[in-house]
Amino acid sequence: MKFSPVLLTIGLVLCLFSCADTEQETASETPSRPNILFIMSDDHAYQAISAYMDHLIQTPNIDRIAKEGMLFSNACVTNSICAPSRAVILTGKHSHLNGKIDNRSPFDTTQVTFPQIFQDAGYQTAMYGKLHFGNNPKGVDDFMILPGQGNYINPRFITAEGDTTIEGYVTDIITDLTIDWLDKKRDPNKPFFMAYLHKAPHRPWWPRPDKFKEFTKKTFPEPASLFDDYSNRGTAAKTAEMNLLYHMQYPHDSKIRPETLEAMGEVKPEVPGFAGGFNGPYGRTNDAQRAQYDPVLDSINQFFQENWPGMTDEEKMKWKYQRYMQDYLGCISSVDDNVGRVLDYLEESGLAENTIVVYTSDQGFYLGEHGWFDKRFIYDESFKTPLMVKWPGVIEAGSTNNEMVQNLDFAPTFLEAAGIDVPTDMQGESLMPLLKGENDSWDRDAVYYHYYEYPAVHMVKRHYGVVTKEYKLAHFYYDVDEWELYDRMKDPQEMNNVYDDPEYADVVAELKDKLAELRVKYKDSAELDQKFIDQYNK
């Protein structure tokens, strides 16, 4: 049987229209999987984000994520120290199961990380910035990572092709690389997971020269507990070595030149310092960069040499606090500027519409509270971490959530958002119900915390604990056996340990039961505690 050319043409056209309609129906029924941009800074205290508190600094670009999405007011970590926190995020497992309990122990490379799962599911993956452990991140198609802590000035990067050094300021460079990947290296036919990881504001807090000049002219309000004497607290708080006056180092932290200290002779209080604490970062500058830093450094050093010997201890503490805040917040100002650059790129490129943007830190940080810097404790300033998530069309703009969530939850959340099955051995809970405003389906009432790195730098004792919205119970162990309880509603600064207060006896009993329950749930135990102590002491 023969068909005329006209009939064949008509049939072909009808078929094409029919197929096109079918494809459009399928596309509308199956939305494209979301991209994920995971932004993490290092040691960024929630107190230094104006979406949380605006007494220290304005961070309008980071705040954009909260204004366009959700801010979590009770986000926290499982172990407040850099590399272990990152291992928890990557694996969705507590430190005692993923093996990375402290900065010293190696990461178990047999552990499956969530970028590997994304890669297997067809996502394009990339990582730029600070990983902090391992030179060959798993599950990423492209990476440029800082070795170890990395450098602020003219940083070196590890790549699949070898090491490379890039001239400039690290926060700007990581952003340049990230935008370049999004713009030129990304496969537009695949969804992506991008880890955009800042070194800042990690110690030793070297701002970019213009920020250094700007912020040294600023004065910042002091925290109410700057001169905390740790009364009504246990041994741990009293023996920790992270006091601004007695442990913050003159060259490494306050930017006092070694030759200034040498010319002054005896400087009190005497603070042991890292070899090359000043010259390590400063020695990386080229002539042009040094010319920008020197006038500000000269001013700081001149003031210190002329005034320090005659200051009281109280005046010295206040001066050190201001120097600390000037440098720390100067670093954050650059992070905020650069986050704005990336958000602008997403908007201008059209990627923002289908991209989940997350901003967080690997943990919190002390900004003079209790007289401290650093982190490690279960106390709020180090235990809590910033967390903001925006996802157009899913998360209600400007919403706030106060449920107890942890960095343990990130991996399951990302996987569920991408429609990927969550491995059964991950211990976190997906935050998807909370992101969608379905708080009633969230049943977690307490989180578990465990810190291991002792004896070590800052000498914060080993401890584990349970935290609810209302209370915090911690057990310090190893060379002590002490308990602390804080009423988070009545004592938000955690100045009064009420563990032995008879009025809280029922709370103590209830929380000890809850703590025992969580230790079983998360497969932690006294036997594991001893195992890690024995490993540490070898």
Side-chain angles (χ1 to χ4, degrees):
M1 185 176 181
K2 294 183 180 180
F3 295 96
S4 72
V6 174
L7 290 175
L8 284 171
T9 302
I10 292 172
L12 179 60
V13 170
L14 289 172
C15 179
L16 287 172
F17 275 111
S18 174
C19 291
D21 289 342
T22 302
E23 287 176 5
Q24 286 177 355
E25 273 182 32
T26 304
S28 65
E29 291 169 2
T30 312
S32 57
R33 293 180 290 175
N35 307 307
I36 300 175
L37 176 66
F38 179 64
I39 310 171
M40 184 166 70
S41 50
D42 194 310
D43 292 343
H44 191 172
Y46 64 89
Q47 312 94 285
I49 295 176
S50 49
Y52 286 94
M53 297 180 177
D54 61 2
H55 66 298
L56 291 175
I57 190 173
Q58 294 295 317
T59 53
N61 294 297
I62 296 172
D63 292 357
R64 283 166 61 184
I65 302 171
K67 287 177 181 177
E68 298 171 16
M70 179 176 287
L71 179 145
F72 287 85
S73 59
N74 254 327
C76 60
V77 297
T78 65
N79 183 0
S80 185
I81 186 168
C82 297
S85 176
R86 293 159 192 267
V88 168
I89 290 170
L90 286 170
T91 63
K93 301 175 187 176
H94 276 277
S95 300
H96 59 274
L97 288 192
N98 69 48
K100 187 68 177 164
I101 60 167
D102 51 44
N103 280 339
R104 288 177 22 168
S105 58
F107 178 64
D108 178 3
T109 56
T110 66
Q111 292 284 326
V112 175
T113 65
F114 78 80
Q116 291 175 274
I117 303 172
F118 268 90
Q119 195 178 49
D120 292 342
Y123 267 71
Q124 191 177 16
T125 57
M127 180 181 291
Y128 284 83
K130 181 178 178 181
L131 174 60
H132 197 179
F133 61 88
N135 293 343
N136 189 14
K138 299 169 68 177
V140 292
D141 300 312
D142 191 16
F143 65 89
M144 291 186 71
I145 58 171
L146 299 166
Q149 294 289 357
N151 297 107
Y152 276 103
I153 303 165
N154 304 330
R156 181 167 64 92
F157 287 87
I158 298 167
T159 76
E161 290 76 37
D163 290 7
T164 184
T165 297
I166 302 176
E167 190 171 282
Y169 187 67
V170 68
T171 308
D172 299 330
I173 293 168
I174 292 170
T175 305
D176 291 341
L177 296 170
T178 298
I179 292 175
D180 182 71
W181 186 89
L182 291 168
D183 191 47
K184 298 175 182 175
K185 297 182 179 180
R186 179 180 61 85
D187 182 346
N189 297 312
K190 287 185 175 183
F192 67 80
F193 171 83
M194 160 59 80
Y196 166 45
L197 311 175
H198 283 293
K199 170 184 171 57
H202 194 280
R203 191 183 188 193
W205 316 301
W206 276 81
R208 201 174 61 194
D210 59 322
K211 302 288 186 181
F212 194 37
K213 181 178 180 180
E214 175 189 352
F215 276 76
T216 49
K217 297 176 182 178
K218 295 178 181 286
T219 301
F220 300 95
E222 298 169 358
S225 59
L226 180 63
F227 293 96
D228 191 352
D229 63 3
Y230 316 115
S231 58
N232 200 27
R233 250 72 49 79
T235 305
K238 294 171 183 174
T239 58
E241 296 179 359
M242 50 193 199
N243 182 270
L244 296 177
L245 180 58
Y246 297 108
H247 304 113
M248 184 168 276
Q249 300 168 16
Y250 301 117
H252 187 65
D253 301 316
S254 299
K255 311 300 185 293
I256 304 304
R257 299 178 187 273
E259 51 266 35
T260 300
L261 294 172
E262 185 177 353
M264 291 173 67
E266 188 177 49
V267 175
K268 294 291 185 179
E270 186 176 339
V271 181
F274 292 130
F278 176 89
N279 288 326
Y282 182 72
R284 297 187 65 83
T285 58
N286 57 37
D287 290 344
Q289 292 163 336
R290 194 163 295 196
Q292 292 178 296
Y293 277 114
D294 278 345
V296 182
L297 289 168
D298 291 344
S299 176
I300 293 168
N301 278 259
Q302 181 179 349
F303 180 91
F304 184 84
Q305 188 166 1
E306 292 175 355
N307 294 277
W308 190 261
M311 288 183 180
T312 65
D313 280 355
E314 181 177 334
E315 290 170 332
K316 289 177 178 179
M317 182 73 153
K318 289 172 174 283
W319 185 87
K320 273 195 163 183
Y321 169 75
Q322 294 299 332
R323 274 276 53 247
Y324 170 35
M325 286 299 91
Q326 289 162 359
D327 291 349
Y328 180 91
L329 296 172
C331 291
I332 286 174
S333 184
S334 286
V335 172
D336 187 68
D337 290 347
N338 280 281
V339 167
R341 290 175 58 204
V342 175
L343 295 178
D344 288 346
Y345 175 81
L346 293 179
E347 293 288 346
E348 293 161 5
S349 65
L351 286 171
E353 189 66 24
N354 193 37
T355 299
I356 300 170
V357 178
V358 179
Y359 187 88
T360 191
S361 174
D362 49 358
Q363 62 264 320
F365 214 66
Y366 292 102
L367 304 185
E369 299 89 0
H370 307 293
W372 289 337
F373 64 103
D374 207 69
K375 57 259 184 181
R376 302 167 196 266
F377 275 110
I378 196 172
Y379 308 140
D380 266 8
E381 289 83 7
S382 71
F383 167 73
K384 289 177 66 173
T385 192
L387 177 61
M388 287 160 276
V389 186
K390 83 179 187 80
W391 187 359
V394 176
I395 298 175
E396 181 183 353
S399 54
T400 301
N401 190 285
N402 72 342
E403 295 297 334
M404 299 296 299
V405 303
Q406 288 190 295
N407 56 352
L408 186 72
D409 303 323
F410 293 173
T413 303
F414 298 156
L415 291 168
E416 183 176 347
I420 303 170
D421 290 340
V422 179
T424 56
D425 62 346
M426 282 190 174
Q427 296 181 304
E429 301 291 335
S430 171
L431 303 179
M432 284 293 288
L434 302 181
L435 297 179
K436 293 179 178 180
E438 300 167 357
N439 288 16
D440 290 344
S441 59
W442 184 259
D443 60 0
R444 178 189 287 160
D445 59 358
V447 295
Y448 180 63
Y449 180 88
H450 200 152
Y451 174 79
Y452 300 84
E453 192 169 291
Y454 177 87
V457 61
H458 298 302
M459 297 299 284
V460 173
K461 294 187 182 296
R462 294 173 185 242
H463 59 290
Y464 57 83
V466 56
V467 184
T468 68
K469 291 179 184 177
E470 295 81 17
Y471 300 104
K472 181 177 296 181
L473 178 72
H475 179 216
F476 293 86
Y477 68 99
Y478 180 70
D479 58 348
V480 293
D481 182 9
E482 296 180 353
W483 290 84
E484 294 181 5
L485 174 70
Y486 295 94
D487 187 324
R488 302 184 75 198
M489 299 293 103
K490 294 181 179 179
D491 180 25
Q493 294 184 34
E494 297 170 320
M495 301 289 284
N496 299 299
N497 173 20
V498 293
Y499 179 78
D500 291 322
D501 187 332
E503 291 187 12
Y504 287 89
D506 289 344
V507 174
V508 168
E510 181 182 339
L511 288 179
K512 280 192 172 182
D513 287 344
K514 187 65 179 181
L515 180 58
E517 176 189 319
L518 291 178
R519 296 261 283 175
V520 172
K521 174 181 177 179
Y522 292 123
K523 303 178 182 178
D524 202 2
S525 64
E527 291 75 20
L528 275 177
D529 296 345
Q530 189 59 51
K531 170 190 169 184
F532 291 131
I533 288 170
D534 293 341
Q535 287 180 357
Y536 198 83
N537 289 334
K538 281 184 180 178

